[in-house]
Each structure stands twice: as C-alpha cells, then as structure tokens.
Amino acid sequence: MVSANGGLNQQRVAICNAVALASLLNATLVLPRFLYSNVWKDPSQFGDIYQEEYFVNVMKDEVNIIKELPSHLKSLDIEAIGSLITDADIVKEAKPIDYLTKVLPLLLQNGVVHLLGFGNRLGFDPLPARLQKLRCKCNFHALKFVPKIQEAGSLLIRRIRKYDAAQRMLDKQLVGDFLPGSPSKKHDSERGPSKYLALHLRFEVDMIAYSLCDFGGGEKEKRELQAYRESHFPLLIERLKHSKSISSSELRNLGRCPLTPEEAALVLAGLGFKRGTYIYLASSRIYGGKSRMLSFTSLYPNLVTKETLLTPSELAPFRNFSSQLAALDFIACATADVFAMTDSGSQLSSLVSGFRTYYGGGHAPTLRPNKKRLAAILSENSTIGWNSFEDRVRNMIEEGQSVFIRGYGRSIYRQPRSPECMCRTH
C-alpha cells in the first residue's frame, strides 16, 4: 500500500515510483491513496483524477494492481505489526537495496506494508532498466485523466486557440476522445490566433516567502512575508537563527530568487513575443494579485486563465479540488505551442516539459530561464541597451531549451530521452 502526499504532480511521481517498487519487491500494488493536506485541502482520490480501469489494464502485464486490500489483511493493525513505513525509515532518492533490506523482510513476514507519505523516495540511478521502463510506461501511457477533466481541458484548448486547431499527438494523449475538431476553412483573421504560449509563473506567497528574497514591496511586504514564514515555516525560522544571513542581493545574484511578473514579461519581450501574444497563465495565485501583474498585463493584455476561459458552471465540478484544477493547468501547458517556466525546479514544469519531449515530436519548445544569468543581465539595467538585452536573453534561453539524453541521476519524468524510455532520439 502507498499513500502519496503533496499535490497533483507530486502524487503522479509517487504513483509511478510505487509501480516500480511493487515490481522490485514482486508484490501486488493496492491502488495508491492520496493523503489529505492542509496546504492543498483536496480530498480527491485516484479515481477522481485518473481512469482506474485504464491504469490497471495498461500495467497488468508488469504489475498486479488491485483496488483494495484482500479481506484477510484488512483487519490487521499495520502500525502495530511494524509494517508502516514512513519518510523517517526511507531516505530521499533511496536505492533499490534500501527497499530490499528494510521493506522486503517486513512484506514477507506480515504479507503487507504501507508506505506512508511516499513521494520522492526512489532514486533514478542506479536502477535496473526494467524499472525505469515501468516508470516511463506509467507516466506517459497509463495515467489518463478522467473524462470530466479531459472534457474541460479540451474546452480550454479550444477557447485559447479561438478556433479548432489541428489535432496533435499531445492533444490526443491528454484529452482523449474530447479532441478539438478540424480547423475551420474560414479566414484565420476572423477567428483569432491558432497558437498560444503557456506560462507557469511561480510567484505564490509560499514560494517567495521561503526564498527570503526582497521583491521591492517595501516594509509592508517584508512584514507580510516574515509573518507568513513564522506561521508556515517554523523549521526555516529555527534554521535561520543558527546560520549566517545572506542578503537579498546575494540570493538574487546566486539565482535563488523567483522571477517576478515584471521579469517574466521582460524575458518574453526579449525573446520577441509581441503584444498580441495569447498567454495562458498556469496557477493564478500570484502574490500581490492584479496590482503585481499590472506591468505584465500592460505589456501582454491577452492573458487568460482557466478561471477566465471556463464559465462558473463549467468550473463548478472542480471547485475546492486543487489537484483537479491543477490537472487542467497541466493539459493547457502540455498542449501549448510554446511552454515557458520561471522556475525549472517546479514539479509541474518538470513533468510538463518531459511530456512535451515525449509526445511533441521535436515541435514543442520549452523555455527555461537561467535565473543566475538573468540576474547578471538585469543588474545592468541602467546601462544595457535593448539590442544587447535581447541577444543575451535569447542566448540564455537557447542554451536552456536544448533537450539532452537523460544524464545519470536525472529524472526520467523530466528527461525521458533515454534507451529505457524513448526509442528515438529526435
């Protein structure tokens, strides 16, 4: 048994890791459960987000998956018999040997183990090729969103593009039978754009508070962020008491500060995206709200979100279900003509970019800024000319856009281009 924590994307990684682990231990996997989080506040379970029967059927030749524990095991007090495995028992990025020595004996002795809070608990290397293949098959083939999510995702795509764009492999994989139809024969200018850019702008209060950076909001902002840190990150506060302080300017120079909406707009402008570009904004909980986004929307007024594209009645089935709402962002970002991120460490950005590599056929660019290099460029804002700024930003993005063969220890979800996952290298 596996109980996954975190939001949609952390849960997705946990599911695929659980499949690989079940194979490693030669065990039957109970359909993973999702833990309720005070942060995400979403009671959704596997069947609320993914198609259960499809998942079980796709994986059946490699791993036996059942929906619930057999009756003879249900009555067991798993914690009392010592079969409850927590994060304290298994380190992050654990190797197969850790599970074979710590978990397998308990499984053989008691017939069941429960991995609680299971997420990023299985390393990427060294790992047998067959287990990497299982992860790949699970992530890119077995996990299909339920029809209501696919249908709403299809509506998003259709409305962003203004008219029914040509069907692509990415669309098919993510929205299934709810594919937008063939494009109309009417003149494009009468209908609006057929292409859009999706932007994952990481500027939520928890992220910027944790970063310890200064975002130019003066004393009011500093007090707000400090209060947030004290109430949400007590361990961080305690650690700061015993460590050398680093100034906000130093953090920025090291590339450890989230990009502001203003900086994101400058990067897009430097890459040549025009004022009329249609931009889908994934996750709209921007710290500072509309006032913080004003500089961005002044430059790019055609900014849309799932909340502006779907009607209240269309959004109603997803209200109070943050993971299901995140699934809509996943679809809109993965199927975009261009996907841009402001933080390459984000799980959503990581999974979306991997999906675009796997199904994009080399025609699904992903734009990743190097925050350290960008900080150096922006530090010259009083002297740098616009042409020089454009050249340096484009060079930075071009280098980050390259898709490489997966390196040792790298995520197969983000970099699927490897013998265990993708047969082709183009």
Side-chain angles (χ1 to χ4, degrees):
M1 299 172 64
V2 167
S3 294
N5 51 6
L8 174 82
N9 301 293
Q10 290 80 9
Q11 291 166 353
R12 190 181 184 100
V13 169
I15 293 166
C16 298
N17 286 347
V19 165
L21 183 57
S23 177
L24 173 69
L25 300 176
N26 193 26
T28 291
L29 175 66
V30 179
L31 202 68
R33 299 280 301 171
F34 299 155
L35 293 173
Y36 183 83
S37 163
N38 288 327
V39 175
W40 299 98
K41 297 180 179 178
D42 185 348
S44 297
Q45 289 302 321
F46 192 103
D48 299 311
I49 300 172
Y50 301 109
Q51 298 178 32
E52 291 182 353
E53 297 296 338
Y54 186 90
F55 173 71
V56 172
N57 190 54
V58 170
M59 303 307 305
K60 67 181 181 181
D61 291 336
E62 287 87 11
V63 177
N64 184 40
I65 302 172
I66 57 176
K67 292 188 178 181
E68 55 183 32
L69 275 180
S71 55
H72 69 284
L73 294 174
K74 278 185 178 180
S75 60
L76 292 176
D77 185 333
I78 292 177
E79 185 174 5
I81 63 175
S83 279
L84 185 67
I85 312 294
T86 68
D87 288 352
D89 302 304
I90 298 290
V91 298
K92 285 185 177 180
E93 305 292 346
K95 296 181 175 69
I97 190 65
D98 296 319
Y99 288 99
L100 294 173
T101 56
K102 295 179 182 178
V103 178
L104 183 58
L106 290 173
L107 180 63
L108 294 173
Q109 176 182 315
N110 299 324
V112 60
V113 290
H114 182 189
L115 290 114
L116 183 67
F118 182 77
N120 192 25
R121 297 286 155 180
L122 182 63
F124 291 101
D125 291 293
L127 204 69
R130 67 178 182 86
L131 297 185
Q132 298 286 33
K133 287 179 180 179
L134 276 183
R135 279 171 149 174
C136 183
K137 184 174 183 177
C138 177
N139 185 47
F140 296 108
H141 295 275
L143 291 174
K144 296 282 190 187
F145 293 124
V146 293
K148 78 168 188 177
I149 291 176
Q150 290 185 334
E151 184 175 17
S154 179
L155 282 177
L156 283 178
I157 299 167
R158 187 179 287 120
R159 288 174 185 170
I160 302 169
R161 291 178 179 157
K162 297 296 182 185
Y163 72 92
D164 293 337
Q167 298 176 5
R168 301 178 304 163
M169 181 65 77
L170 276 166
D171 297 353
K172 173 65 177 172
Q173 291 300 319
L174 286 161
V175 300
D177 295 333
F178 297 96
L179 277 172
S182 300
S184 168
K185 293 182 179 179
K186 291 185 179 180
H187 195 270
D188 290 0
S189 62
E190 296 177 16
R191 333 208 65 76
S194 63
K195 297 183 177 182
Y196 71 97
L197 176 146
L199 172 65
H200 190 209
L201 180 56
R202 296 298 312 280
F203 203 70
E204 301 92 344
V205 63
D206 56 340
M207 184 176 190
I208 65 171
Y210 198 86
S211 73
L212 303 176
C213 297
D214 184 348
F215 298 96
E219 289 302 317
K220 180 175 180 292
E221 178 186 276
K222 289 179 181 178
R223 288 195 301 272
E224 284 181 355
L225 296 181
Q226 180 61 20
Y228 190 92
R229 279 190 286 270
E230 290 174 356
S231 61
H232 290 78
F233 305 125
L235 294 179
L236 172 64
I237 295 296
E238 192 61 30
R239 191 173 78 238
L240 291 173
K241 292 177 182 177
H242 305 286
S243 59
K244 182 182 177 183
S245 63
I246 304 178
S247 69
S248 181
S249 58
E250 287 179 282
L251 289 170
R252 193 165 296 279
N253 291 337
L254 291 170
R256 285 159 60 178
C257 294
L259 263 62
T260 65
E262 300 95 321
E263 291 167 340
L266 276 172
V267 170
L268 294 179
L271 292 171
F273 287 97
K274 305 301 182 187
R275 178 179 172 80
T277 302
Y278 268 75
I279 299 177
Y280 178 89
L281 180 64
S283 180
S284 50
R285 296 177 298 163
I286 303 300
Y287 177 69
K290 288 184 179 179
S291 61
R292 188 80 215 206
M293 287 296 294
L294 188 59
S295 58
F296 190 102
T297 52
S298 296
L299 194 57
Y300 294 107
N302 293 325
L303 185 72
V304 295
T305 65
K306 54 186 175 292
E307 290 81 8
T308 60
L309 288 167
L310 299 178
T311 66
S313 62
E314 289 166 344
L315 268 176
F318 306 101
R319 293 286 183 197
N320 303 318
F321 299 103
S322 60
S323 291
Q324 296 180 46
L325 288 169
L328 299 182
D329 279 337
F330 189 104
I331 291 171
C333 288
T335 59
D337 298 278
V338 178
F339 173 57
M341 64 181 78
T342 59
D343 179 52
S344 59
S346 153
Q347 196 72 271
L348 171 69
S349 295
S350 177
L351 289 172
V352 164
S353 61
F355 219 86
R356 290 169 64 80
T357 296
Y358 195 86
Y359 284 114
H363 303 290
T366 295
L367 311 181
R368 297 182 181 86
N370 180 312
K371 289 189 289 185
K372 186 173 182 179
R373 285 182 60 181
L374 183 60
I377 297 170
L378 293 174
S379 69
E380 301 175 31
N381 64 353
S382 60
T383 56
I384 193 171
W386 182 251
N387 288 342
S388 176
F389 176 80
E390 283 184 313
D391 289 341
R392 290 172 66 179
V393 165
R394 286 176 178 174
N395 287 337
M396 173 190 71
I397 292 295
E398 283 174 7
E399 290 177 17
Q401 193 182 330
S402 301
V403 180
F404 301 103
I405 300 295
R406 187 183 78 88
Y408 185 88
R410 298 291 183 177
S411 166
I412 203 162
Y413 311 117
R414 177 173 180 167
Q415 296 181 345
R417 196 169 284 183
S418 68
E420 300 90 357
C421 200
M422 292 177 73
C423 299
R424 295 177 300 172
T425 57
H426 62 278

